[in-house]
């Protein structure tokens, strides 16, 4: 039986190609409006690229995926070095970012087209609400279904989000006071927690606000406090992975898995902390979280190896700087976090906003993709994991997601509107 979505995707692709005809890439004076105009055209092209990538998948790849119980390909993650588009199954930690981008397009434009596309790509990952084998429920479900529920109030989205939160808390380890991150590499770690996991706590705070069930709140706060205690060095830089004894809560090892070395400062890890503790302060009002966010920001922006354009190298301690790849994804997430942080610290708010503005301005001028190329990604020059020779200096979906989020936050602040 033919996939009922196939015709829908095809028609969207035809519309996108027609829309792109005759477009240019001129960058206008209004940073937000210019970038959303660019994103409107480029993401329409992305829908074409996604359709084409699905059609090009080999039968062998499809059979192998189905045997592993992974389901169909869903949303884009990155471009490969050969320029091909990498689509992922729903279980991939990045599967929710592309639908989130589409929701942000709907939020800015209020065009029904973007609402329809956002809903379509969001529902592709519905099964993940039951996936207890991952800590990445926030990345996957809150970026997609969370934005969808915020913008539409659809009760179906709410139910899926609540189930996602219930599934996530099954990974909580009471003795250590943390949510377990990875289940792999059991020969290396007993109970690893990665700094990225701070980003997934927003789903739990949302669930608490919806249900008033304190279990969600307490788990999120406990995890944030334990991470604050054990993940950070004296200079407020962060390790990537802390391994725990789940019975005693004792720290077994501290390491950096995707950065240059165990004692180095992996760029994206630093921004996960900045964003995560800023968000935790919003949800709790606890001054320790606000202080932590400010100190992480100070580390980033006072670092001698932060480039003048504020787009970091993939690791602050990478040995071949300045001939190392940048990580635009770290920069876009930082900008989004700074806009929020600026609303909580009046004496430093102007500086935070100025730095966020500079990041967005420099990205717009020097890191944006070419309209109608790059498989519809918005930004170039992100780095996933250089030590694993993975996603080095390529477009990656979460860079685009936080770029649009930062632009929306800037727009609200420029209009003197509340962020939340």
């Amino acid at each position: 039986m033919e996939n009922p979505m196939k015709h829908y995707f095809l028609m969207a692709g035809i519309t996108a190609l027609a829309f792109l005809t005759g477009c240019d890439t001129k960058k206008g004076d209004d940073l937000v409006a210019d970038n959303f105009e660019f994103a409107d055209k480029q993401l329409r092209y992305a829908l074409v690229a996604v359709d084409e990538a699905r059609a090009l998948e080999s039968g062998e790849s499809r059979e192998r995926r189905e045997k592993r119980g992974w389901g169909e390909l869903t949303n884009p993650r990155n471009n490969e070095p050969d320029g091909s588009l990498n689509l992922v199954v729903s279980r991939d930690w990045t599967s929710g970012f592309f639908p989130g981008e589409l929701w942000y397009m709907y939020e800015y434009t209020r065009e029904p087209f973007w609402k329809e596309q956002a809903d379509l790509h969001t529902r592709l990952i519905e099964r993940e609400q039951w996936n207890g084998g991952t800590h990445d429920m926030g990345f996957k479900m809150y970026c997609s279904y969370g934005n969808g529920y915020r913008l539409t109030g659809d009760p179906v989205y709410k139910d899926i989000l609540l189930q996602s939160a219930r599934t996530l808390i099954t990974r909580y380890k009471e003795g250590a006071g943390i949510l377990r991150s990875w289940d792999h590499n059991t020969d290396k770690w007993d109970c690893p927690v990665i700094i990225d996991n701070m980003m997934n706590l927003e789903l739990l705070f949302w669930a608490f606000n919806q249900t008033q069930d304190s279990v969600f709140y307490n788990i999120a706060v406990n995890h944030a406090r334990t991470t604050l205690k054990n993940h950070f060095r004296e200079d407020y830089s962060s390790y990537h992975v802390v391994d725990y004894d789940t019975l005693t809560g004792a720290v077994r090892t501290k390491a950096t898995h995707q950065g240059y070395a165990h004692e180095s400062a992996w760029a994206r890890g630093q921004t996960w902390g900045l964003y995560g503790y800023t968000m935790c302060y919003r949800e709790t009002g606890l001054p320790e979280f606000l202080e932590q966010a400010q100190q992480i920001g100070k580390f980033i922006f006072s670092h001698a190896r932060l480039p003048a354009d504020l787009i970091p190298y993939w690791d602050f301690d990478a040995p071949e700087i300045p001939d190392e790849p940048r990580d635009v994804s770290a920069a876009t997430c930082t900008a989004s976090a700074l806009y929020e942080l600026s609303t909580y610290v009046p004496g430093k708010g102007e500086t935070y906003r100025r730095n966020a503005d500079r990041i967005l301005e420099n990205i717009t001028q020097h890191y944006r993709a070419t309209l109608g190329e790059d498989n519809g990604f918005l930004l170039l020059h992100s780095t996933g994991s250089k030590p694993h020779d993975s996603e080095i200096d390529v477009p990656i979906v979460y860079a685009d997601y936080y770029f649009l989020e930062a632009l929306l936050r800037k727009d609200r602040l420029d209009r003197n509107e509340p962020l939340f």
Side-chain angles (χ1 to χ4, degrees):
M1 182 176 179
E2 185 178 14
N3 186 340
M5 292 186 177
K6 183 176 181 181
H7 180 71
Y8 194 99
F9 278 119
L10 179 61
M11 293 306 297
I14 293 171
T15 301
L17 285 174
F19 191 89
L20 280 166
T21 304
C23 293
D24 59 41
T25 59
K26 182 179 179 181
K27 301 175 178 64
D29 294 330
D30 186 324
L31 188 73
V32 174
D34 169 74
N35 275 299
F36 270 99
E37 180 182 0
F38 167 74
D40 187 284
K41 299 167 185 175
Q42 189 73 342
L43 287 171
R44 289 173 189 265
Y45 175 63
L47 297 172
V48 178
V50 168
D51 226 14
E52 291 176 347
R54 285 199 182 97
L56 288 171
E57 185 193 17
S58 69
E60 180 182 352
S61 297
R62 189 179 302 108
E63 182 179 358
R64 183 168 62 250
R65 190 180 70 246
E66 290 173 352
K67 282 183 177 179
R68 301 186 73 170
W70 285 358
E72 65 180 317
L73 293 176
T74 61
N75 294 310
R77 171 170 174 157
N78 62 282
N79 278 351
E80 300 292 7
D82 64 2
S84 62
L85 177 61
N86 178 32
L87 299 180
V88 295
V89 294
S90 65
R91 70 191 294 271
D92 189 271
W93 76 275
T94 68
S95 63
F97 288 115
F98 187 71
E101 286 185 73
L102 303 181
W103 283 118
Y104 284 151
M105 290 303 304
Y106 172 63
E107 182 171 6
Y108 184 80
T109 67
R110 294 295 170 174
E111 291 184 15
F113 172 81
W114 291 117
K115 182 181 180 182
E116 293 166 4
Q117 288 295 318
D119 175 74
L120 185 65
H121 286 266
T122 294
R123 290 177 186 272
L124 291 175
I125 65 172
E126 179 178 344
R127 63 189 285 179
E128 291 307 301
Q129 66 183 303
W130 306 103
N131 183 0
T134 176
H135 68 109
D136 285 316
M137 282 295 194
F139 282 129
K140 289 191 291 188
M141 307 306 280
Y142 197 74
C143 293
S144 55
Y145 281 95
N147 280 312
Y149 181 67
R150 178 174 61 84
L151 294 170
T152 69
D154 188 329
V156 173
Y157 293 172
K158 179 180 179 179
D159 290 345
I160 291 170
L161 283 166
L162 287 174
Q163 180 56 53
S164 300
R166 295 187 195 104
T167 300
L168 176 55
I169 63 174
T170 64
R171 300 185 65 80
Y172 185 64
K173 305 300 179 183
E174 185 73 39
I178 50 84
L179 288 155
R180 181 189 180 99
S181 294
W182 293 331
D183 292 340
H184 57 74
N185 289 95
T186 54
D187 59 325
K188 185 185 300 185
W189 298 304
D190 181 23
C191 183
V193 173
I194 59 176
I195 190 63
D196 319 37
N197 213 348
M198 288 297 302
M199 304 291 284
N200 294 303
L201 302 183
E202 191 166 12
L203 172 63
L204 299 186
F205 286 122
W206 174 87
F208 166 69
N209 290 329
Q210 295 296 314
T211 65
Q212 296 304 300
D213 185 341
S214 61
V215 170
F216 296 116
Y217 181 92
N218 291 336
I219 288 176
V221 170
N222 289 346
H223 182 96
R225 281 178 164 160
T226 304
T227 299
L228 189 154
K229 177 183 176 182
N230 296 319
H231 255 81
F232 292 88
R233 307 179 182 97
E234 289 187 7
D235 63 0
Y236 292 92
S237 65
S238 171
Y239 290 96
H240 182 198
V241 189
V242 174
D243 188 28
Y244 290 90
D245 182 309
T246 56
L247 296 179
T248 67
V251 172
R252 299 179 71 246
T253 60
K254 298 183 180 185
T256 296
H257 186 61
Q258 288 173 248
Y260 167 62
H262 291 324
E263 295 299 327
S264 71
W266 173 50
R268 196 163 64 255
Q270 311 315 304
T271 201
W272 290 148
L274 173 66
Y275 190 111
Y277 282 102
T278 301
M279 175 272 298
C280 283
Y281 176 72
R282 178 217 312 159
E283 297 296 337
T284 68
L286 293 171
E288 65 204 83
F289 295 155
L290 180 60
E291 175 67 15
Q292 190 72 8
Q294 292 182 79
Q295 293 292 351
I296 298 169
K298 182 179 178 180
F299 170 83
I300 293 172
F301 286 95
S302 64
H303 202 290
R305 287 184 289 277
L306 179 67
D309 67 359
L310 307 184
I311 314 302
Y313 299 100
W314 69 281
D315 191 298
F316 284 94
D317 301 297
E320 302 299 324
I321 290 173
D323 299 319
E324 293 278 0
R326 302 293 186 97
D327 186 6
V328 166
S329 74
T332 59
C333 187
T334 295
S336 186
L338 288 176
Y339 283 126
E340 179 174 2
L341 187 58
S342 74
T343 67
Y344 304 141
V345 192
K348 300 177 183 177
E350 184 177 345
T351 298
Y352 292 146
R353 284 185 63 178
R354 185 166 60 248
N355 283 336
D357 286 346
R358 284 181 59 199
I359 290 171
L360 296 187
E361 289 163 3
N362 288 327
I363 285 175
T364 301
Q365 291 299 318
H366 303 294
Y367 295 85
R368 219 164 68 172
T370 300
L371 187 63
E373 298 182 13
D374 301 304
N375 290 314
F377 284 98
L378 306 181
L379 304 177
L380 308 176
H381 306 305
S382 288
T383 299
S385 181
K386 190 180 180 186
H388 300 92
D389 196 27
S390 174
E391 300 175 311
I392 301 173
D393 194 24
V394 295
I396 303 179
V397 67
Y398 43 84
D400 294 0
Y401 174 87
Y402 289 109
F403 183 55
L404 294 185
E405 181 179 87
L407 289 165
L408 284 170
R409 289 180 172 187
K410 172 179 170 54
D411 190 47
R412 293 192 198 104
L413 292 176
D414 289 348
R415 297 173 185 271
N416 293 314
E417 297 175 355
L419 290 185
F420 303 98

CSV table of all heavy atoms in Angstrom, one decimal, residues 70-88:
chain,number,residue,atom,x,y,z
A,70,TRP,N,13.7,-0.2,13.8
A,70,TRP,CA,13.9,1.2,13.9
A,70,TRP,C,12.8,2.0,13.3
A,70,TRP,O,12.7,3.2,13.4
A,70,TRP,CB,15.3,1.6,13.3
A,70,TRP,CG,16.4,1.2,14.2
A,70,TRP,CD1,16.4,0.7,15.4
A,70,TRP,CD2,17.8,1.4,13.9
A,70,TRP,NE1,17.6,0.5,15.9
A,70,TRP,CE2,18.5,1.0,15.0
A,70,TRP,CE3,18.5,1.9,12.8
A,70,TRP,CZ2,19.9,1.0,15.0
A,70,TRP,CZ3,19.9,1.9,12.8
A,70,TRP,CH2,20.6,1.5,13.9
A,71,GLY,N,12.0,1.4,12.4
A,71,GLY,CA,10.9,2.1,11.8
A,71,GLY,C,11.4,2.9,10.6
A,71,GLY,O,12.6,2.8,10.2
A,72,GLU,N,10.6,3.8,10.1
A,72,GLU,CA,10.9,4.5,8.9
A,72,GLU,C,11.8,5.7,9.2
A,72,GLU,O,12.0,6.2,10.3
A,72,GLU,CB,9.6,5.1,8.2
A,72,GLU,CG,8.9,6.1,9.1
A,72,GLU,CD,7.6,6.6,8.4
A,72,GLU,OE1,7.6,6.9,7.2
A,72,GLU,OE2,6.6,6.7,9.1
A,73,LEU,N,12.4,6.2,8.1
A,73,LEU,CA,13.2,7.4,8.2
A,73,LEU,C,12.3,8.6,8.4
A,73,LEU,O,11.2,8.6,7.9
A,73,LEU,CB,14.0,7.6,6.9
A,73,LEU,CG,15.1,6.7,6.6
A,73,LEU,CD1,15.7,7.0,5.2
A,73,LEU,CD2,16.2,6.7,7.6
A,74,THR,N,12.7,9.5,9.3
A,74,THR,CA,11.8,10.6,9.6
A,74,THR,C,12.4,12.0,9.1
A,74,THR,O,12.0,12.5,8.1
A,74,THR,CB,11.6,10.7,11.1
A,74,THR,OG1,12.8,10.9,11.8
A,74,THR,CG2,10.9,9.4,11.6
A,75,ASN,N,13.3,12.5,9.9
A,75,ASN,CA,13.7,13.9,9.7
A,75,ASN,C,15.2,14.1,9.4
A,75,ASN,O,16.0,13.2,9.8
A,75,ASN,CB,13.3,14.8,10.9
A,75,ASN,CG,11.8,14.8,11.0
A,75,ASN,OD1,11.1,15.1,10.1
A,75,ASN,ND2,11.2,14.5,12.2
A,76,PRO,N,15.6,15.2,8.9
A,76,PRO,CA,17.1,15.4,8.6
A,76,PRO,C,17.9,15.6,9.8
A,76,PRO,O,17.4,16.3,10.7
A,76,PRO,CB,17.1,16.6,7.6
A,76,PRO,CG,15.8,17.3,7.9
A,76,PRO,CD,14.8,16.3,8.3
A,77,ARG,N,19.1,15.2,9.8
A,77,ARG,CA,20.1,15.4,10.8
A,77,ARG,C,21.3,16.3,10.4
A,77,ARG,O,21.6,17.3,11.0
A,77,ARG,CB,20.6,14.1,11.4
A,77,ARG,CG,21.7,14.3,12.4
A,77,ARG,CD,22.1,13.1,13.2
A,77,ARG,NE,23.3,13.3,14.0
A,77,ARG,CZ,23.6,12.5,15.1
A,77,ARG,NH1,22.8,11.6,15.4
A,77,ARG,NH2,24.7,12.8,15.7
A,78,ASN,N,21.9,15.9,9.3
A,78,ASN,CA,23.1,16.6,8.8
A,78,ASN,C,23.4,16.3,7.4
A,78,ASN,O,22.8,15.4,6.8
A,78,ASN,CB,24.3,16.2,9.7
A,78,ASN,CG,24.6,14.7,9.5
A,78,ASN,OD1,23.9,13.8,10.1
A,78,ASN,ND2,25.6,14.3,8.7
A,79,ASN,N,24.3,17.0,6.8
A,79,ASN,CA,24.9,16.7,5.5
A,79,ASN,C,26.1,15.8,5.7
A,79,ASN,O,26.9,16.1,6.6
A,79,ASN,CB,25.2,17.9,4.7
A,79,ASN,CG,24.1,18.6,4.0
A,79,ASN,OD1,23.0,18.0,4.0
A,79,ASN,ND2,24.3,19.8,3.5
A,80,GLU,N,26.3,14.8,4.9
A,80,GLU,CA,27.5,14.0,4.9
A,80,GLU,C,28.6,14.8,4.2
A,80,GLU,O,28.3,15.7,3.4
A,80,GLU,CB,27.2,12.7,4.3
A,80,GLU,CG,26.1,11.9,5.0
A,80,GLU,CD,26.5,11.4,6.4
A,80,GLU,OE1,27.6,11.8,6.9
A,80,GLU,OE2,25.8,10.7,7.1
A,81,PRO,N,29.8,14.3,4.4
A,81,PRO,CA,30.9,15.0,3.6
A,81,PRO,C,30.8,15.0,2.1
A,81,PRO,O,31.3,15.9,1.5
A,81,PRO,CB,32.2,14.2,4.1
A,81,PRO,CG,31.8,13.7,5.4
A,81,PRO,CD,30.3,13.4,5.3
A,82,ASP,N,30.1,14.0,1.6
A,82,ASP,CA,29.9,14.0,0.1
A,82,ASP,C,28.7,14.8,-0.3
A,82,ASP,O,28.4,14.9,-1.5
A,82,ASP,CB,29.7,12.5,-0.4
A,82,ASP,CG,28.5,11.9,0.2
A,82,ASP,OD1,27.7,12.5,0.9
A,82,ASP,OD2,28.2,10.7,-0.1
A,83,GLY,N,28.1,15.6,0.6
A,83,GLY,CA,27.0,16.4,0.3
A,83,GLY,C,25.6,15.8,0.4
A,83,GLY,O,24.6,16.5,0.2
A,84,SER,N,25.6,14.5,0.6
A,84,SER,CA,24.3,13.8,0.7
A,84,SER,C,23.6,14.1,2.0
A,84,SER,O,24.2,14.5,3.0
A,84,SER,CB,24.4,12.3,0.6
A,84,SER,OG,25.2,11.8,1.6
A,85,LEU,N,22.3,14.0,2.0
A,85,LEU,CA,21.5,14.3,3.2
A,85,LEU,C,21.3,13.1,4.1
A,85,LEU,O,20.9,12.0,3.6
A,85,LEU,CB,20.1,14.9,2.8
A,85,LEU,CG,19.1,15.2,3.9
A,85,LEU,CD1,19.7,16.3,4.8
A,85,LEU,CD2,17.8,15.6,3.3
A,86,ASN,N,21.6,13.2,5.4
A,86,ASN,CA,21.4,12.1,6.3
A,86,ASN,C,20.1,12.3,7.0
A,86,ASN,O,19.9,13.2,7.8
A,86,ASN,CB,22.6,12.1,7.3
A,86,ASN,CG,22.4,11.0,8.4
A,86,ASN,OD1,21.9,10.0,8.1
A,86,ASN,ND2,22.9,11.3,9.6
A,87,LEU,N,19.1,11.4,6.7
A,87,LEU,CA,17.9,11.3,7.5
A,87,LEU,C,18.0,10.3,8.6
A,87,LEU,O,18.7,9.3,8.5
A,87,LEU,CB,16.7,10.9,6.5
A,87,LEU,CG,16.4,11.8,5.3
A,87,LEU,CD1,15.3,11.2,4.5
A,87,LEU,CD2,16.1,13.2,5.8
A,88,VAL,N,17.3,10.5,9.7
A,88,VAL,CA,17.4,9.6,10.8
A,88,VAL,C,16.0,9.0,11.1
A,88,VAL,O,15.0,9.5,10.7
A,88,VAL,CB,17.9,10.3,12.1
A,88,VAL,CG1,19.3,10.8,11.8
A,88,VAL,CG2,17.0,11.5,12.4
